[in-house]
Amino acid sequence: MTLATPASSSADAQGARRRWPARLAIGLVVLLLALVLLIVFFPWDWLRGPINRYVSDKTGRHFAITRHLDVKLGRTATVIADGIEFANPGWAQDPYLVKAEKAEIGIRLWPLLSGKVVLPAVTLQQPEIGLQMEPDGRRTWALGKDSSDSGTTPDIGHLLVDRGQLHFLAADKGADIRVNFGIDQQIDKDVPGALPFSFDAKGSWKKQAFAASGRTGSLLQLSPGAQTAPFPVELKASAGQTRLAAKGSIGNLSTLEGVDAQAQMQGQNLADLYQLIGVVLPDTPPYAVKGHLTKQGAAWDVAGLQGKLGSSDLSGHLRYDAGGAKALLSGEVQSKLLDFNDLAPVIGLAPTPTKGSRTTEAGTVPPVTAAAAQKGKRSGGKVLPTAKLDLEKLNAMNADVSYSAQKIEHIEQLPLDSGKVHVKLTDGLLVLDPLDLGVAGGHIAGHIRVDSKQSPPAVSTRLEARALQINRLFPSIDSSKNSFGNVSLRVDLQARGDSVATLLAHANGETGLLVGSGRFSNLLLEFVGLDGAEVIKFFLRGDKEVRMRCGGAAFDVKNGLMTSKGIVFDTTDTVVNGDGRINLADESMYITLRPQPKDKSFLSLRSPLIIQGTFGDPSAFPDKGALAGRAAAAVALGLINPFLALAATIETGPGEDADCQRLLTRTDAPKPVNR
């Protein structure tokens, strides 16, 4: 028997102390290896039942992994489920939020501790997706147990889907859309700019027929915080009579952040965009526009805007910023040529009918539909438009837009040359200031204010016209082409209503007209004075011109009734005095003009001229009562000698010059324009 010495015992103890860390390390490695093997070979299918019950209990909806479950653990766990069913809440139309042949879902574990569901990546094969929104805020994808609660919405980073269907329903938006989608396996999804993912959608949006189709990259970016390169997209969509085509890229699908695309749009009426996307624009004829569309934050920009609105061209840039308390539309728009017929829908008149579509650089301008061509038309000789101006929607957003037209065509009643206006809309108050129109060689300037917050809307108009040339003011009258002289006009009216006809029928204020000195066609005056000899001289030797000394007319306007304060026109040949009324409510007029020629002439019958009728059907004729006495005298003299009948028509010229200085002072006195 050998006894250990003290020295050997000490050595063994030291050796044991040196070996225990190694043994511990080996034990930990074995344990970790065992855990890894457990994780790798763990029969996750054992947990399908508990997981199904747990998710169903927490969400209050049926959840089931129907065939096989596998999990890959890490900071982001990956759940692979063959066969998955996740029901919608009971109030939804579609039975399932998601039902798929296979799902691969990445789940970040740490956010789960605070109740957040973060899914960096989701892959679905042959999914059926049912999304529904209710007016009270309920959404099928909000994972609250109580269906009246908005619940927790998963934060999905990237979505890859193949061969599936989606149904989106939102009754308050008039939306019921079904989408079929899939990935073209023949297209290499890793090639930059590739568009393997295609979709086709049909249904309704805002209760109008909706259709869309397009292609994108295969990996859809949904999470606002996900940072990846923008993926390409091509899109064609239609809603009602509005068509949109776009090609470019998009950074995030859920927020539409990073949109950068060339877009084309056409339709029957720009005002339709209010119902579709909430942008307030005026009624217009059919249009086609294109531009470079981008989005950053809450702001959409359209740069390089070009197109056609009816027969008018458009260019410029616009910005729509929905980031404030109220959305703001701003920008500058120009037209090289504005066809005045294209402004008819703005004031409630029918657009000019067109035949067939027109192809332009911006796209196809649709023809005016039969329904649009009838809008605003009136019967019975009435001309003022009665179509309701939808002024209530002016409260939907704000605006700050400048518009200018270098040249204006196709307007005979008021020969506009050019125009520019600054449109400012603030909390329902629409102000056109300054408003500057080039008319007949002169200008009409002033402002228009529309307060849509009042019911009915309140409108005030203050316009002053200066230096309008007579020969350009009446281009359709041949006899005026050799006439000139300047015309000034002032309009100061306030009214309330929702159509042009209603506004004028309730207008209050005053108007004034002044004609300055210049040459004026005598033929027009001879017709007014029924001076037959001068008319005969015109046809035999040509028109005679006389000098216009001055002229003016002023009207008080009370509740749509214009009553003359005075009507005077004075030339070297004739003085015309008059009075009358114009009823804007029923569009009738009755004006009496009393000419007093200053020269002696045969065939002059100094009878008043009556102008009456409606705006659509006016008539002018001599006062038969005033003519009766003189006509009887002519007949009596004619019984004695036919030549003596002419004596009763001799005008001795009792007319006197009008006080032009006083007329100029009273009628043309400028007043400050209140803004």
Side-chain angles (χ1 to χ4, degrees), residues 201-224:
K202 292 183 180 180
S204 62
W205 174 258
K206 298 294 184 179
K207 298 182 179 180
Q208 298 188 53
F210 174 84
S213 62
R215 306 183 70 88
T216 74
S218 59
L219 194 63
L220 306 181
Q221 182 176 318
L222 300 181
S223 174

Side-chain angles (χ1 to χ4, degrees), residues 438-620:
V439 182
H443 280 273
I444 295 179
H447 69 263
I448 300 175
R449 298 167 61 92
V450 180
D451 188 352
S452 66
K453 291 182 292 186
Q454 299 189 40
S455 183
V459 179
S460 63
T461 302
R462 180 67 187 271
L463 299 173
E464 291 190 1
R466 298 284 180 173
L468 309 185
Q469 298 176 14
I470 291 178
N471 58 319
R472 297 183 63 182
L473 195 59
F474 301 103
S476 61
I477 303 178
D478 292 339
S479 59
S480 69
K481 291 183 178 179
N482 296 322
S483 305
F484 32 159
N486 291 338
V487 176
S488 296
L489 176 69
R490 184 174 64 244
V491 176
D492 190 353
L493 297 175
Q494 300 80 41
R496 299 184 67 174
D498 56 7
S499 71
V500 173
T502 304
L503 286 167
L504 292 177
H506 297 89
N508 293 283
E510 60 180 2
T511 64
L513 170 72
L514 176 69
V515 181
S517 62
R519 290 181 295 169
F520 195 87
S521 169
N522 193 41
L523 175 63
L524 300 178
L525 295 171
E526 304 304 345
F527 272 123
V528 171
L530 298 181
D531 198 332
E534 293 297 335
V535 175
I536 292 174
K537 285 190 294 179
F538 169 77
F539 285 110
L540 294 178
R541 299 184 305 177
D543 192 10
K544 175 185 175 182
E545 292 183 343
V546 296
R547 183 171 182 78
M548 169 71 73
R549 299 185 67 248
C550 64
F555 289 85
D556 277 328
V557 184
K558 293 183 179 180
N559 203 29
L561 182 62
M562 298 176 59
T563 305
S564 64
K565 293 189 289 187
I567 301 176
V568 178
F569 292 94
D570 182 35
T571 74
T572 55
D573 187 73
T574 303
V575 175
V576 177
N577 290 278
D579 56 67
R581 300 181 306 276
I582 300 175
N583 193 323
L584 300 175
D586 61 12
E587 301 185 21
S588 65
M589 66 181 80
Y590 190 92
I591 297 174
T592 303
L593 300 179
R594 303 178 182 85
Q596 293 182 317
K598 297 178 181 179
D599 60 347
K600 296 181 179 180
S601 172
F602 273 131
L603 304 180
S604 179
L605 303 176
R606 288 183 299 167
S607 63
L609 186 72
I610 306 298
I611 301 175
Q612 70 175 25
T614 65
F615 295 173
D617 187 21
S619 61

